[in-house]
Amino acid sequence: VLQAWAEHLRKWRGDEATDYERNNAFYGFQLEHMGAKDHRQHPAGWIACEAGQLLLTAFTAAAQSYLSHVAENVGVVRPDVSPDHLHVWASLHQPCSTHPRHVHAGASLSGVYYVRIPPTGGGRLEFSDPRGYLPPFTEPVAYHPSEGDLILFPPWVPHEVTSNCRAQAPRISISFNYYSDLQLQGEGGFGTEG
C-alpha cells in the first residue's frame, strides 16, 4: 500500500491539495490500476501481493459470516460471497485529516480494516442515524479503532472519520464494499461511490 501511495504521489500534481483530496485521487488511482472487481481472478496493484490476497480471503470470510447471519435472521437464502464481488481500496490519512460523512450507495455490506493506527490514535469512526439529528438520535456512535480491527457495517449508515491532530504518523486503512449478483446487474455497480 505504501508503494502504491508513493507511486501515486509521484504521478499526481496536487501540492496544494487537502488530505481528503489526495485520498480521493488515490482512490481513483487504485481504481484505474487495480480495477474495482475480480481481485481474485485478475489481481493487480497491491492486492496482487500475498498479503493483499490474504486480506481478500479474510474480508470474504467476514462478509460471508455477516451476511449469512443477517439472512438467517430475516429468513432469506444465505448468500454465497465471492471475493471477486468485493471492491477493495486503501486509504492513507495524515495527522489532522478527516473523511467527511458519506454512505456507500449500491453495496450490500461495507467494511474497513485498520492496518496502522498511530500510538496516539487515528481518529474515530463515527456512525450517524440515517433518520437525522432529531431527538433522540442526536449523538453519533463513535468507535476508536485499533490496529488489526475489522469493522463491518451496513453501507447505508452515514459514517465519517474524525481527525486526531496529536498523531505523529499516518493512519492506514483498507476498506471494501461487497456487491451481490443482483446489484452487479443493475445501474451503478462497482466503483460508482467516491
Side-chain angles (χ1 to χ4, degrees):
V1 171
L2 291 175
Q3 289 174 341
W5 176 258
E7 181 183 346
H8 160 68
L9 289 179
R10 278 192 302 275
K11 293 180 178 179
W12 189 61
R13 301 247 185 245
D15 296 334
E16 300 298 318
T18 66
D19 197 53
Y20 176 73
E21 291 168 331
R22 280 188 206 98
N23 264 295
N24 272 350
F26 186 44
Y27 173 86
F29 174 84
Q30 291 173 90
L31 194 58
E32 179 183 338
H33 289 86
M34 292 171 33
K37 62 180 181 173
D38 298 331
H39 293 307
R40 177 74 80 207
Q41 290 183 19
H42 307 288
W46 64 263
I47 200 77
C49 75
E50 182 180 356
Q53 289 296 297
L54 288 172
L55 280 173
L56 190 62
T57 298
F59 295 165
T60 302
Q64 181 69 58
S65 177
Y66 181 97
L67 293 171
S68 293
H69 181 74
V70 170
E72 181 180 309
N73 282 299
V74 297
V76 297
V77 176
R78 180 178 160 256
D80 184 23
V81 176
S82 165
D84 286 325
H85 289 194
L86 293 175
H87 174 201
V88 181
W89 68 97
S91 296
L92 193 144
H93 288 272
Q94 300 296 334
C96 293
S97 72
T98 63
H99 194 89
R101 186 176 302 121
H102 62 285
V103 298
H104 297 271
S108 294
L109 175 67
S110 292
V112 59
Y113 173 72
Y114 291 91
V115 177
R116 181 186 296 166
I117 299 287
T120 57
R124 297 179 311 275
L125 176 59
E126 290 189 354
F127 297 98
S128 301
D129 192 303
R131 296 170 287 191
Y133 287 103
L134 299 174
F137 311 110
T138 57
E139 296 298 319
V141 174
Y143 181 77
H144 298 270
S146 298
E147 282 187 18
D149 286 353
L150 174 60
I151 312 300
L152 305 176
F153 54 94
W156 46 264
V157 173
H159 55 284
E160 64 187 293
V161 178
T162 65
S163 69
N164 179 3
C165 291
R166 296 176 303 153
Q168 299 297 314
R171 175 187 69 243
I172 301 173
S173 59
I174 299 175
S175 301
F176 71 87
N177 287 328
Y178 170 71
Y179 295 88
S180 72
D181 287 327
L182 293 176
Q183 290 163 317
L184 295 175
Q185 296 168 12
E187 280 190 38
F190 284 124
T192 57
E193 76 284 350

